[in-house]
Amino acid sequence: MATISLGVFDWLVIASYFVFVLGIGYYLKRYTKSENDFFLAGRKNSAWVAGLAFLSANLGALELLGMTGNTFKYGMYVAHFYWIGAIPAMLFLGIYMMPFYYSSKIKSIPGYLKLRFGEKTRVLNGIAFAIMTLLVSGINLYAMALVLRTFLGWDWDVSMWVSALTVAVYVTMSGLMSAIFTEIIQFFLIWFGLFLVAILGIGEIGSITEIMNRLPESFNTLWSTSGDAARNGMEVTWPAIVLGLGFVLSFGYWTTDFLVVQRAFSARDLRAARMTPIIASFFKMAIPFIVILTGLTAIALSNDPGSGFSLLQDGGQVNYDSALPLLIARYYPTGLIGLGVTALLAGFMAGQAGNISAFNTVWTYDIYKSVINREASDSHLLWMGRVATLVGVLISIGTAYWAKSFPSIMDYMQAIFSWVNAPLFATMLLGMFVRWVTPNGAFWGLLAGMGSSFYMFLAVKFQWFEAKILTLSSVQSDMAVNFWRAWWAWLICFAVTILVSLVTKRQEEKDLVGLVKGLTEETLGREVPFLKRPEFFALLSLVALVILNILFW
Amino acid sequence: MASEVREMKSIWFLVGLVLLVMGGLVLLAGVVELFSPSERQTVLADTHPGIWWGAVMLAAGSLFYFKNRK
């Protein structure tokens, strides 16, 4: 494929984005005076600001390209990542977990582990999270440079360094505040920049029904073919979707990944913090109308020889990630091409900024202050946060070059989450809801969960044993293996934590007040009418989720 | 966010500004394309998506910008 050439208006749109994000970083610097401003955006955000940032921190371009490509590969089943694989977990976070997080005034998720289980569990999770964040950040950077080179012919090094340094400049100036501002701008750019692809796709084919009619049953349903792995595009059965994706991976990511939860910590009060993931859940439910619809349109067009549409081939392999850029090139004239490229750039850069702002907080509080310099002053921590931002960006660039020399590392993204987040969810769940779980139980359970997940990954990769031992099925995709590995890692962490807790010393109940259900006073706005409570909005979200699943059953 | 810090502009104002500038550029590009079509022909080009989508962005941008100016 020849690269897409940009016109003057396209360049002007892209240039205006860079001017805006750098200008916002500079503008906000004057309001970033304390470490609280830098790491928690001053804890002044409304639920809407925190909610959109919460969603956008997860909505990177890697996800947009990857999920559109996955839809081409697996069909409608990819919508499970957005619906059952996100919404219940987001609502659980808002209703049940946020009161413990927000009320304990922690600055990070490892900070909660320190209060509940002590220093060693905090440091273990802090280090694992910092490594994971930098790996994901580097892979994100690598993917961006790859997309820009493949479709626009831009120089690999220049596009990577320019965008990484732009992120470094604005996050160093004003920390989480500028990250959140640019994430919200990214949210609007993604909708205005990419939703038009879906609209024009429907316009070309005729209607959503017509798109669905052009697909095989294994690709256009959500649940009706999930009883038999051989009958659906993802080669997965409903227990893997419910247990692996809907429960472990989803709850593990949305309730414990500091990258997203940090946005809720920036809310101005407990109600706003609880509403943060609930507001985000409505918008999360709408994302499939960009990515899934676009992916299904790409399948329908590629099945029609007269359309002239086909995905790129790399060395004989189909490049699924090319679906979205190819549709942008198909439909967008000058000006809109610039907007589409800006939406992808904004997604990549906001994803990068999200990872870096989470990394600088965890490094500063959970590793530096916790292990290296316990007496550090607030102004010193602010300085350290800025240094960590710059160093984090440089390490990300290094990781991106490493990813460039090992292209298959892209496949490891889901695996990385199952190593760190899946077992951590068991630790958090037990920590918040079971008072007799001990610090030693949590530490050894988390270590066993993370270690076993990593071992299962290596074992399947190097064929030490067959994947069917994990999936309990002779038919399975890589995605199904990811779901099942996450489930087993969670279960191992859960079981080891309980077993070790039964034989080790428990904490005194007075030390757990405010951290564990049953020992925490529950004054969650009972005086507010039900129609204004987070519980009501969560119920609305749940009803919408059920309706969507029935509609596309 | 901005409402509690007197001097700081609201994020919604900045969102409006971004949509106004980018929507304006997309609309302008669409108008130029209408009178002087480029060689690269896109599918559904006859619907002039740059013009109406640019207008939608301008309308949304105006809403955010003028509602959050102060």
Side-chain angles (χ1 to χ4, degrees):
Chain A
M1 167 200 158
T3 54
I4 304 164
S5 58
L6 300 180
V8 176
F9 285 104
D10 300 314
W11 284 110
L12 283 173
V13 171
I14 294 167
S16 67
Y17 173 71
F18 278 90
V19 169
F20 272 117
V21 291
L22 287 172
I24 285 171
Y26 179 73
Y27 173 69
L28 293 177
K29 187 171 186 295
R30 73 189 74 168
Y31 301 101
T32 311
K33 296 191 170 97
S34 68
E35 40 125 17
N36 206 36
D37 293 334
F38 189 84
F39 294 111
L40 288 173
R43 276 202 155 152
K44 289 180 287 210
N45 285 330
S46 68
W48 278 93
V49 170
L52 291 190
F54 180 94
L55 176 66
S56 301
N58 161 263
L59 191 62
L62 194 56
E63 160 158 331
L64 293 167
L65 291 174
M67 288 302 183
T68 306
N70 276 341
T71 305
F72 194 97
K73 190 175 178 182
Y74 298 119
M76 265 295 275
Y77 269 52
V78 177
H80 287 306
F81 281 93
Y82 295 89
W83 294 343
I84 193 168
I87 308 303
M90 292 163 90
L91 302 181
F92 186 80
L93 171 68
I95 298 299
Y96 295 107
M97 292 177 78
M98 196 56 74
F100 301 112
Y101 280 150
Y102 194 86
S103 304
S104 53
K105 298 288 174 196
I106 50 170
K107 290 186 167 66
S108 67
I109 296 290
Y112 176 83
L113 292 172
K114 146 89 176 158
L115 294 177
R116 177 65 179 87
F117 296 123
E119 203 68 89
K120 63 184 177 186
T121 309
R122 170 204 218 173
V123 174
L124 173 66
N125 177 243
I127 291 172
F129 179 80
I131 293 171
M132 178 181 82
T133 306
L134 292 179
L135 273 176
V136 173
S137 174
I139 293 169
N140 191 61
L141 204 52
Y142 159 76
M144 181 195 68
L146 191 64
V147 167
L148 296 179
R149 193 188 61 180
T150 306
F151 298 101
L152 300 169
W154 291 2
D155 182 79
W156 209 92
D157 298 295
V158 172
S159 50
M160 197 174 72
W161 279 89
V162 167
S163 55
L165 291 179
T166 305
V167 168
V169 168
Y170 73 73
V171 177
T172 303
M173 282 196 281
S174 32
L176 182 61
M177 210 184 304
S178 58
I180 286 180
F181 267 56
T182 51
E183 279 161 5
I184 289 175
I185 286 173
Q186 167 225 354
F187 173 84
F188 285 92
L189 285 179
I190 282 176
W191 273 99
F192 280 103
L194 300 178
F195 186 45
L196 184 60
V197 178
I199 294 175
L200 294 173
I202 295 169
E204 184 184 2
I205 294 177
S207 65
I208 294 180
T209 313
E210 181 57 28
I211 293 173
M212 293 296 190
N213 287 343
R214 292 193 189 185
L215 306 175
E217 191 197 10
S218 58
F219 271 61
N220 68 6
T221 58
L222 267 183
W223 292 103
S224 61
T225 55
S226 65
D228 177 0
R231 283 185 63 211
N232 61 74
M234 202 177 270
E235 296 177 339
V236 68
T237 52
W238 65 264
I241 297 170
V242 174
L243 293 176
L245 176 64
F247 182 55
V248 177
L249 272 176
S250 167
F251 278 70
Y253 178 77
W254 290 103
T255 67
T256 70
D257 194 298
F258 182 52
L259 169 64
V260 287
V261 180
Q262 185 181 26
R263 274 68 194 153
F265 290 177
S266 76
R268 62 181 162 217
D269 54 35
L270 177 56
R271 184 182 181 280
R274 296 182 74 209
M275 283 298 291
T276 294
I278 296 170
I279 287 175
S281 72
F282 289 97
F283 293 99
K284 183 73 180 173
M285 258 185 277
I287 301 294
F289 293 98
I290 297 179
V291 292
I292 308 294
L293 206 47
T294 305
L296 297 180
T297 301
I299 304 174
L301 288 174
S302 66
N303 287 345
D304 174 9
S307 72
F309 182 86
S310 61
L311 296 194
L312 294 184
Q313 303 272 331
D314 290 336
Q317 299 257 314
V318 177
N319 179 350
Y320 294 103
D321 293 345
S322 65
L324 184 58
L326 287 178
L327 285 174
I328 289 176
R330 181 181 182 84
Y331 295 126
Y332 280 13
T334 306
L336 278 172
I337 280 274
L339 185 66
V341 171
T342 303
L344 291 178
L345 265 176
F348 280 121
M349 287 170 59
Q352 172 86 354
N355 278 299
I356 293 300
S357 58
F359 167 78
N360 67 26
T361 308
V362 167
W363 163 262
T364 304
Y365 285 106
D366 301 304
I367 299 174
Y368 181 75
K369 193 180 180 198
S370 173
V371 178
I372 300 169
N373 184 358
R374 288 169 189 263
E375 306 302 320
S377 65
D378 287 354
S379 58
H380 180 75
L381 291 178
L382 176 59
W383 174 82
M384 177 49 69
R386 289 192 159 123
V387 171
T389 302
L390 289 173
V391 173
V393 168
L394 288 175
I395 295 174
S396 299
I397 292 172
T399 313
Y401 276 105
W402 180 58
K404 187 185 180 188
S405 51
F406 297 97
S408 63
I409 199 165
M410 291 288 289
D411 299 339
Y412 299 179
M413 285 283 286
Q414 283 292 331
I416 292 172
F417 291 124
S418 73
W419 300 340
V420 178
N421 288 337
L424 178 62
F425 172 55
T427 309
M428 284 296 189
L429 200 62
L430 289 168
M432 285 183 178
F433 295 96
V434 183
R435 65 179 76 172
W436 50 263
V437 166
T438 67
N440 278 320
F443 178 77
W444 291 109
L446 190 57
L447 200 58
M450 286 166 54
S452 61
S453 184
F454 192 56
Y455 172 77
M456 285 184 274
F457 172 79
L458 292 178
V460 172
K461 181 86 186 163
F462 297 107
Q463 297 176 334
W464 299 339
F465 58 68
E466 289 185 59
K468 69 179 179 189
I469 292 179
L470 299 183
T471 63
L472 313 175
S473 165
S474 55
V475 179
Q476 73 269 310
S477 62
D478 292 345
M479 201 64 84
V481 177
N482 275 331
F483 294 169
W484 281 108
R485 188 177 54 246
W487 162 252
W488 295 123
W490 180 87
L491 199 62
I492 289 168
C493 177
F494 191 86
V496 172
T497 303
I498 287 179
L499 289 175
V500 176
S501 292
L502 290 173
V503 295
T504 51
K505 187 171 180 279
R506 295 179 186 179
Q507 291 150 292
E508 291 190 30
E509 292 199 344
K510 67 178 173 54
D511 296 331
L512 302 178
V513 172
L515 301 171
V516 182
K517 191 166 177 63
L519 296 173
T520 304
E521 191 183 359
E522 298 195 17
T523 53
L524 298 176
R526 295 281 181 259
E527 70 286 356
V528 179
F530 181 68
L531 295 185
K532 290 187 177 176
R533 283 192 213 159
E535 285 84 350
F536 171 69
F537 294 99
L539 191 62
L540 285 184
S541 179
L542 210 53
V543 170
L545 174 70
V546 171
I547 291 172
L548 281 171
N549 277 277
I550 292 172
L551 273 178
F552 294 98
W553 187 268
Chain B
M1 163 175 242
S3 59
E4 293 182 16
V5 181
R6 192 165 51 89
E7 304 88 350
M8 196 197 288
K9 286 285 184 191
S10 157
I11 175 63
W12 308 118
F13 169 81
L14 295 170
V15 166
L17 201 58
V18 169
L19 293 181
L20 275 177
V21 170
M22 293 193 179
L25 287 169
V26 168
L27 177 63
L28 203 57
V31 172
V32 170
E33 185 81 11
L34 183 66
F35 292 104
S36 165
S38 60
E39 286 177 15
R40 190 176 73 86
Q41 276 303 299
T42 53
V43 175
L44 298 179
D46 54 329
T47 62
H48 304 291
I51 293 180
W52 53 266
W53 196 248
V56 169
M57 289 180 73
L58 273 179
S62 304
L63 205 68
F64 280 109
Y65 181 87
F66 290 108
K67 213 170 165 234
N68 298 283
R69 232 177 347 171
K70 290 178 182 175

mmCIF file of all heavy atoms in Angstrom, chain A residues 284-312:
data_model
loop_
_atom_site.group_PDB
_atom_site.id
_atom_site.type_symbol
_atom_site.label_atom_id
_atom_site.label_comp_id
_atom_site.label_asym_id
_atom_site.label_seq_id
_atom_site.Cartn_x
_atom_site.Cartn_y
_atom_site.Cartn_z
ATOM 1 N N LYS A 284 -17.967 3.887 28.263
ATOM 2 C CA LYS A 284 -17.277 2.649 27.894
ATOM 3 C C LYS A 284 -18.205 1.765 27.059
ATOM 4 O O LYS A 284 -17.779 1.136 26.092
ATOM 5 C CB LYS A 284 -16.840 1.907 29.171
ATOM 6 C CG LYS A 284 -16.041 0.642 28.920
ATOM 7 C CD LYS A 284 -14.648 0.959 28.450
ATOM 8 C CE LYS A 284 -13.844 -0.305 28.207
ATOM 9 N NZ LYS A 284 -12.542 0.000 27.589
ATOM 10 N N MET A 285 -19.469 1.737 27.464
ATOM 11 C CA MET A 285 -20.444 0.919 26.743
ATOM 12 C C MET A 285 -20.618 1.387 25.294
ATOM 13 O O MET A 285 -21.028 0.622 24.429
ATOM 14 C CB MET A 285 -21.807 1.016 27.449
ATOM 15 C CG MET A 285 -22.125 -0.181 28.276
ATOM 16 S SD MET A 285 -23.789 -0.070 28.960
ATOM 17 C CE MET A 285 -23.534 0.938 30.395
ATOM 18 N N ALA A 286 -20.328 2.685 25.055
ATOM 19 C CA ALA A 286 -20.551 3.252 23.710
ATOM 20 C C ALA A 286 -19.357 3.030 22.778
ATOM 21 O O ALA A 286 -19.507 3.133 21.565
ATOM 22 C CB ALA A 286 -20.829 4.745 23.835
ATOM 23 N N ILE A 287 -18.179 2.723 23.331
ATOM 24 C CA ILE A 287 -16.980 2.603 22.489
ATOM 25 C C ILE A 287 -17.141 1.547 21.377
ATOM 26 O O ILE A 287 -16.644 1.736 20.272
ATOM 27 C CB ILE A 287 -15.722 2.295 23.338
ATOM 28 C CG1 ILE A 287 -15.484 3.400 24.374
ATOM 29 C CG2 ILE A 287 -14.480 2.142 22.457
ATOM 30 C CD1 ILE A 287 -15.142 4.737 23.797
ATOM 31 N N PRO A 288 -17.834 0.409 21.622
ATOM 32 C CA PRO A 288 -18.008 -0.554 20.521
ATOM 33 C C PRO A 288 -18.642 0.047 19.278
ATOM 34 O O PRO A 288 -18.458 -0.470 18.181
ATOM 35 C CB PRO A 288 -18.914 -1.633 21.138
ATOM 36 C CG PRO A 288 -18.560 -1.603 22.575
ATOM 37 C CD PRO A 288 -18.322 -0.153 22.893
ATOM 38 N N PHE A 289 -19.383 1.160 19.453
ATOM 39 C CA PHE A 289 -19.981 1.775 18.268
ATOM 40 C C PHE A 289 -18.919 2.453 17.394
ATOM 41 O O PHE A 289 -19.198 2.860 16.282
ATOM 42 C CB PHE A 289 -21.100 2.740 18.667
ATOM 43 C CG PHE A 289 -22.267 2.000 19.257
ATOM 44 C CD1 PHE A 289 -22.431 1.893 20.629
ATOM 45 C CD2 PHE A 289 -23.160 1.337 18.431
ATOM 46 C CE1 PHE A 289 -23.485 1.164 21.176
ATOM 47 C CE2 PHE A 289 -24.210 0.601 18.960
ATOM 48 C CZ PHE A 289 -24.375 0.513 20.330
ATOM 49 N N ILE A 290 -17.700 2.581 17.930
ATOM 50 C CA ILE A 290 -16.573 2.967 17.067
ATOM 51 C C ILE A 290 -15.827 1.703 16.640
ATOM 52 O O ILE A 290 -15.764 1.366 15.464
ATOM 53 C CB ILE A 290 -15.578 3.917 17.783
ATOM 54 C CG1 ILE A 290 -16.227 5.239 18.173
ATOM 55 C CG2 ILE A 290 -14.372 4.190 16.868
ATOM 56 C CD1 ILE A 290 -15.292 6.196 18.889
ATOM 57 N N VAL A 291 -15.259 0.989 17.594
ATOM 58 C CA VAL A 291 -14.305 -0.066 17.232
ATOM 59 C C VAL A 291 -14.954 -1.335 16.664
ATOM 60 O O VAL A 291 -14.486 -1.874 15.660
ATOM 61 C CB VAL A 291 -13.369 -0.439 18.411
ATOM 62 C CG1 VAL A 291 -12.430 0.674 18.740
ATOM 63 C CG2 VAL A 291 -14.122 -0.861 19.620
ATOM 64 N N ILE A 292 -16.020 -1.815 17.301
ATOM 65 C CA ILE A 292 -16.619 -3.070 16.831
ATOM 66 C C ILE A 292 -17.300 -2.846 15.484
ATOM 67 O O ILE A 292 -17.128 -3.628 14.534
ATOM 68 C CB ILE A 292 -17.648 -3.627 17.853
ATOM 69 C CG1 ILE A 292 -17.035 -3.709 19.248
ATOM 70 C CG2 ILE A 292 -18.190 -4.972 17.400
ATOM 71 C CD1 ILE A 292 -15.930 -4.686 19.411
ATOM 72 N N LEU A 293 -18.052 -1.750 15.406
ATOM 73 C CA LEU A 293 -18.768 -1.447 14.162
ATOM 74 C C LEU A 293 -17.773 -1.277 13.003
ATOM 75 O O LEU A 293 -18.001 -1.769 11.890
ATOM 76 C CB LEU A 293 -19.584 -0.166 14.372
ATOM 77 C CG LEU A 293 -20.823 0.012 13.509
ATOM 78 C CD1 LEU A 293 -21.676 -1.234 13.471
ATOM 79 C CD2 LEU A 293 -21.650 1.192 14.024
ATOM 80 N N THR A 294 -16.658 -0.596 13.291
ATOM 81 C CA THR A 294 -15.648 -0.390 12.251
ATOM 82 C C THR A 294 -15.021 -1.723 11.841
ATOM 83 O O THR A 294 -14.814 -1.984 10.654
ATOM 84 C CB THR A 294 -14.559 0.568 12.772
ATOM 85 O OG1 THR A 294 -15.196 1.767 13.213
ATOM 86 C CG2 THR A 294 -13.562 0.915 11.698
ATOM 87 N N GLY A 295 -14.739 -2.573 12.826
ATOM 88 C CA GLY A 295 -14.151 -3.885 12.532
ATOM 89 C C GLY A 295 -15.101 -4.750 11.712
ATOM 90 O O GLY A 295 -14.690 -5.418 10.758
ATOM 91 N N LEU A 296 -16.405 -4.723 12.076
ATOM 92 C CA LEU A 296 -17.391 -5.520 11.343
ATOM 93 C C LEU A 296 -17.571 -4.982 9.918
ATOM 94 O O LEU A 296 -17.726 -5.758 8.965
ATOM 95 C CB LEU A 296 -18.733 -5.528 12.080
ATOM 96 C CG LEU A 296 -18.739 -6.177 13.476
ATOM 97 C CD1 LEU A 296 -20.131 -6.119 14.092
ATOM 98 C CD2 LEU A 296 -18.256 -7.628 13.422
ATOM 99 N N THR A 297 -17.513 -3.644 9.782
ATOM 100 C CA THR A 297 -17.595 -3.044 8.443
ATOM 101 C C THR A 297 -16.418 -3.529 7.588
ATOM 102 O O THR A 297 -16.584 -3.862 6.400
ATOM 103 C CB THR A 297 -17.540 -1.496 8.552
ATOM 104 O OG1 THR A 297 -18.626 -1.069 9.354
ATOM 105 C CG2 THR A 297 -17.625 -0.833 7.186
ATOM 106 N N ALA A 298 -15.237 -3.588 8.203
ATOM 107 C CA ALA A 298 -14.048 -4.043 7.468
ATOM 108 C C ALA A 298 -14.231 -5.491 6.995
ATOM 109 O O ALA A 298 -13.861 -5.837 5.863
ATOM 110 C CB ALA A 298 -12.812 -3.925 8.349
ATOM 111 N N ILE A 299 -14.838 -6.344 7.848
ATOM 112 C CA ILE A 299 -15.065 -7.745 7.429
ATOM 113 C C ILE A 299 -16.050 -7.771 6.254
ATOM 114 O O ILE A 299 -15.817 -8.451 5.246
ATOM 115 C CB ILE A 299 -15.674 -8.598 8.572
ATOM 116 C CG1 ILE A 299 -14.801 -8.558 9.814
ATOM 117 C CG2 ILE A 299 -15.857 -10.041 8.127
ATOM 118 C CD1 ILE A 299 -15.421 -9.251 11.015
ATOM 119 N N ALA A 300 -17.151 -7.015 6.413
ATOM 120 C CA ALA A 300 -18.187 -7.018 5.361
ATOM 121 C C ALA A 300 -17.598 -6.548 4.027
ATOM 122 O O ALA A 300 -17.884 -7.126 2.980
ATOM 123 C CB ALA A 300 -19.352 -6.128 5.787
ATOM 124 N N LEU A 301 -16.772 -5.504 4.068
ATOM 125 C CA LEU A 301 -16.176 -4.998 2.831
ATOM 126 C C LEU A 301 -15.183 -5.994 2.238
ATOM 127 O O LEU A 301 -15.128 -6.195 1.024
ATOM 128 C CB LEU A 301 -15.458 -3.661 3.100
ATOM 129 C CG LEU A 301 -16.368 -2.449 3.354
ATOM 130 C CD1 LEU A 301 -15.537 -1.233 3.751
ATOM 131 C CD2 LEU A 301 -17.193 -2.129 2.118
ATOM 132 N N SER A 302 -14.379 -6.618 3.112
ATOM 133 C CA SER A 302 -13.364 -7.537 2.577
ATOM 134 C C SER A 302 -14.001 -8.814 2.019
ATOM 135 O O SER A 302 -13.413 -9.503 1.191
ATOM 136 C CB SER A 302 -12.311 -7.878 3.628
ATOM 137 O OG SER A 302 -12.904 -8.602 4.651
ATOM 138 N N ASN A 303 -15.243 -9.144 2.470
ATOM 139 C CA ASN A 303 -15.956 -10.300 1.916
ATOM 140 C C ASN A 303 -16.569 -9.996 0.547
ATOM 141 O O ASN A 303 -17.056 -10.893 -0.118
ATOM 142 C CB ASN A 303 -17.093 -10.739 2.866
ATOM 143 C CG ASN A 303 -16.540 -11.435 4.098
ATOM 144 O OD1 ASN A 303 -15.375 -11.827 4.119
ATOM 145 N ND2 ASN A 303 -17.356 -11.558 5.128
ATOM 146 N N ASP A 304 -16.578 -8.691 0.203
ATOM 147 C CA ASP A 304 -17.174 -8.275 -1.072
ATOM 148 C C ASP A 304 -16.054 -7.928 -2.062
ATOM 149 O O ASP A 304 -15.431 -6.869 -1.939
ATOM 150 C CB ASP A 304 -18.072 -7.050 -0.802
ATOM 151 C CG ASP A 304 -18.611 -6.449 -2.088
ATOM 152 O OD1 ASP A 304 -18.440 -7.064 -3.155
ATOM 153 O OD2 ASP A 304 -19.200 -5.353 -2.021
ATOM 154 N N PRO A 305 -15.788 -8.796 -3.039
ATOM 155 C CA PRO A 305 -14.664 -8.555 -3.956
ATOM 156 C C PRO A 305 -14.798 -7.237 -4.717
ATOM 157 O O PRO A 305 -13.804 -6.606 -5.076
ATOM 158 C CB PRO A 305 -14.737 -9.734 -4.929
ATOM 159 C CG PRO A 305 -15.604 -10.748 -4.276
ATOM 160 C CD PRO A 305 -16.523 -10.024 -3.369
ATOM 161 N N GLY A 306 -16.028 -6.787 -4.910
ATOM 162 C CA GLY A 306 -16.259 -5.550 -5.650
ATOM 163 C C GLY A 306 -15.859 -4.296 -4.882
ATOM 164 O O GLY A 306 -15.736 -3.220 -5.462
ATOM 165 N N SER A 307 -15.664 -4.422 -3.559
ATOM 166 C CA SER A 307 -15.360 -3.229 -2.751
ATOM 167 C C SER A 307 -13.909 -2.776 -2.918
ATOM 168 O O SER A 307 -13.571 -1.629 -2.633
ATOM 169 C CB SER A 307 -15.633 -3.519 -1.271
ATOM 170 O OG SER A 307 -14.637 -4.397 -0.765
ATOM 171 N N GLY A 308 -13.040 -3.702 -3.338
ATOM 172 C CA GLY A 308 -11.624 -3.368 -3.474
ATOM 173 C C GLY A 308 -10.922 -3.200 -2.143
ATOM 174 O O GLY A 308 -9.837 -2.618 -2.062
ATOM 175 N N PHE A 309 -11.546 -3.694 -1.061
ATOM 176 C CA PHE A 309 -10.961 -3.515 0.279
ATOM 177 C C PHE A 309 -10.336 -4.809 0.781
ATOM 178 O O PHE A 309 -10.963 -5.868 0.737
ATOM 179 C CB PHE A 309 -12.048 -3.079 1.268
ATOM 180 C CG PHE A 309 -11.535 -2.827 2.665
ATOM 181 C CD1 PHE A 309 -11.016 -1.590 3.013
ATOM 182 C CD2 PHE A 309 -11.553 -3.834 3.627
ATOM 183 C CE1 PHE A 309 -10.534 -1.346 4.294
ATOM 184 C CE2 PHE A 309 -11.075 -3.601 4.911
ATOM 185 C CZ PHE A 309 -10.572 -2.357 5.240
ATOM 186 N N SER A 310 -9.104 -4.731 1.207
ATOM 187 C CA SER A 310 -8.493 -5.894 1.875
ATOM 188 C C SER A 310 -7.424 -5.398 2.838
ATOM 189 O O SER A 310 -6.847 -4.319 2.639
ATOM 190 C CB SER A 310 -7.873 -6.848 0.859
ATOM 191 O OG SER A 310 -6.856 -6.187 0.151
ATOM 192 N N LEU A 311 -7.200 -6.164 3.903
ATOM 193 C CA LEU A 311 -6.204 -5.750 4.904
ATOM 194 C C LEU A 311 -4.796 -5.946 4.358
ATOM 195 O O LEU A 311 -4.572 -6.707 3.411
ATOM 196 C CB LEU A 311 -6.369 -6.571 6.189
ATOM 197 C CG LEU A 311 -7.675 -6.407 6.964
ATOM 198 C CD1 LEU A 311 -7.532 -7.002 8.360
ATOM 199 C CD2 LEU A 311 -8.087 -4.952 7.082
ATOM 200 N N LEU A 312 -3.837 -5.258 4.985
ATOM 201 C CA LEU A 312 -2.445 -5.401 4.567
ATOM 202 C C LEU A 312 -1.928 -6.786 4.934
ATOM 203 O O LEU A 312 -2.425 -7.427 5.861
ATOM 204 C CB LEU A 312 -1.569 -4.353 5.268
ATOM 205 C CG LEU A 312 -1.800 -2.880 4.922
ATOM 206 C CD1 LEU A 312 -0.783 -2.028 5.650
ATOM 207 C CD2 LEU A 312 -1.712 -2.660 3.426
#
